[in-house]
Amino acid sequence: MNNKRPQNIKIPWFFIILLAGMIILLLVPFRVMSERLTANELRQVLDRPEEISQAAIELSQEGMAAELILELSDGRSVKATVPDAMEVMDRLDQTGVDYMISGMAETSFFDSFPMVLMAIITFFFIFMLMGARSGAGGMNQRMANFGKSRARLSTEGNVKFSDVAGMEEEKKELKEVVEFLRHPLRFSTMGARIPKGIILVGSPGTGKTLLAKAVAGEAGVPFYSISGSDFVEMYVGVGAARVRDLFEEAKRTSPCIVFIDEIDAVARRRGTGLGGSHDEREQTLNQLLVEMDGFAQNQGIIVMAATNRVDILDPAIMRPGRFDRKVTVGRPDVRARKQILELHARNKRLSEDVDLERLSRTTAGFTGADLENLLNEAAIEATIDGREAISSNDIEEAFIKTGIGTEKRSRVISERDRRITAYHETGHAILFHELEDVGPVHIISIIPTGEGAAGYTMPVPEKDDMHVTRTQLIHMMMAALGGRIAEELVFNDITTGASQDIKQVTKIARAMVMQYGMSDKVGMINYEENGDDVFLGYDIAHNKTYSDKMLSIIDDEVRSLVDSCYADAKAIIIRHRDVLEKSCALLMEKEKLTGEEFDALFISACSGENASE
Ligand code: ADP
Ligand code: MG
Ligand code: ZN
């Protein structure tokens, strides 16, 4: 069948109107006036015949049953199905109520309208499902229009990189993509391999959508955006049809950007998640992968996707030729926050007493969206109060008024907490720097992550070594202990901030003793029961597979392993106490240090020592 798809069939609209109509019908019955009575109510009505002003009996075609319709003196109209028409007639005769008798009314249009609608809709769905499932074919083509992608072609605003404050790293990574979209041919003749898919990872409100739009805006190409959750419909096949359609459209207008927001909604690791539209998601994901594999690199389509949960994504989508590039969009550091505030203050009138610099310093952990929202609320506040410009008081109010107020104000971190975090993270970093088998440091940050961590220290990703050595494991444990050690050294006290670290250390130590045969006393016996995430002590205790004696030996071994790591790590940090102080001071100022900035501290520390000697 060769049929160009008619472009403008508005089936979805038609459908939506039908559906709305049906809902209205169901909620507001057409014959409001005929309220159906229960047997009991009917009896009551018949007991007071003086209140009946009119009556009609509709006899059914066969049998004794009939519809009794009564108009009451208070204007109400009621009806009931009575089992025996004769009996009712007798009754009415006795009470002297006059009535009309008719055959069962021919079903009026209004009576059957909901039924007809229901039938149409059911029919429609059956069509649609068949269409979506059967792959190709004319019917499918037409029906797939229902699954027409909801992608919105956005030309709105034409966002540029200059509208995205901060994010220097991220923009740098994406410049290349912009270049490619501008001159796809140039790249393909050169044989350069350009990523097809880029995944933006970051908390909500960090500016992922904005950034993707800016890439399109900079390159001057169309920007199609759709949300993963739009794909996931109740009906199997619709999502896949939408994906197909989206890419068809994209191919027609390439070069362009296809942006899939909340990709985790479709691309969750297969076999996880709870029931529901399970099949549907899988089909949609498969279709997405097929499409991405299908178009050639030089076709000029770049798929960008956003998520805040990269850990739950199906590994299949990260394979080469798919979303093989990952750009992490972090929460803004103090400088970036100032830039964001300045950017959003551009079109607002601020009074003299507003100090954006100070505001940026007290909003660690806020995302770009939080900051934008804050200023906006302040502007509303000022307007309501009829002020000329936004005062610092308005901003204070905005803190309280917005969601940011109640829930995140607590996130406005005290100076003391920031210091603790700075020392803690530097503790990790020093060990990453000093130990050979881990690190080096990539980034140290004391910007709260929003997922509960007060900061983080990120080593450069390690090579995928096939074998992890004992030394490596020891070094990993030492680095993890660094945070706690630094706190202890500086404050002479410890905080609860190291619980994740301790968990990790415990996990490694246990694995070394119980799985990897790295303890002499325990030997090469596997004591692991069910995968490594089970709380082993519990498991073992309940299975009684091992003797209590063995258990206590295991405990001792784990313990002594951790203790010795602790001692060694502490010695290293003590040796670099000066770095600890300097790094902490720098972090307090900048919130975020790159690996180079951190390494430089060691050099200056060394030369400092030399000079003093
Ligand atoms: P995400 O997609 O990561 O949830 P958005 O891109 O939708 O976040 O950002 C929401 C809003 O927050 C943007 O429209 C913008 O006003 C503001 N915003 C976020 N990050 C920035 C930034 N770096 N510079 C300027 N504005 C930002
Ligand atoms: Mg978004
Ligand atoms: Zn830590």
Side-chain angles (χ1 to χ4, degrees), residues 163-165 167 203-210 340 343-344 368-369 372:
D163 299 310
V164 186
M167 294 217 215
S203 319
T206 44
K208 300 180 293 296
T209 309
L210 190 69
I340 293 171
L343 191 127
H344 288 288
E372 196 266 345

Side-chain angles (χ1 to χ4, degrees), residues 255-275:
C256 67
I257 285 195
V258 173
F259 179 67
I260 304 173
D261 211 351
E262 299 177 53
I263 191 162
D264 38 298
V266 269
R268 209 170 312 146
R269 206 176 281 269
R270 273 173 270 204
T272 60
L274 304 168

Side-chain angles (χ1 to χ4, degrees), residues 149-283:
S149 80
R150 292 218 195 112
R152 291 171 301 267
L153 178 60
S154 130
T155 40
E156 127 251 355
N158 199 12
V159 184
K160 288 285 173 54
F161 274 159
S162 57
D163 299 310
V164 186
M167 294 217 215
E168 301 309 327
E169 286 283 311
E170 292 87 342
K171 284 191 232 172
K172 210 165 72 196
E173 285 192 61
L174 293 171
K175 282 244 162 71
E176 177 188 316
V177 176
V178 172
E179 277 309 304
F180 166 73
L181 288 168
R182 276 192 193 142
H183 317 286
L185 276 182
R186 203 184 291 171
F187 281 81
S188 56
T189 37
M190 193 68 80
R193 202 178 75 83
I194 288 293
K196 278 184 190 173
I198 299 163
I199 193 152
L200 303 174
V201 185
S203 319
T206 44
K208 300 180 293 296
T209 309
L210 190 69
L211 195 60
K213 272 188 193 159
V215 171
E218 284 284 321
V221 300
F223 178 79
Y224 296 97
S225 93
I226 191 161
S227 170
S229 53
D230 290 351
F231 279 140
V232 182
E233 300 280 319
M234 272 177 292
Y235 309 103
V236 176
V238 178
R242 288 219 167 114
V243 172
R244 209 158 39 226
D245 198 86
L246 174 61
F247 278 90
E248 223 169 85
E249 210 166 319
K251 275 174 207 158
R252 271 200 298 273
T253 51
S254 80
C256 67
I257 285 195
V258 173
F259 179 67
I260 304 173
D261 211 351
E262 299 177 53
I263 191 162
D264 38 298
V266 269
R268 209 170 312 146
R269 206 176 281 269
R270 273 173 270 204
T272 60
L274 304 168
S277 49
H278 203 76
D279 265 6
E280 166 61 9
R281 218 186 52 217
E282 235 157 75
Q283 276 197 15

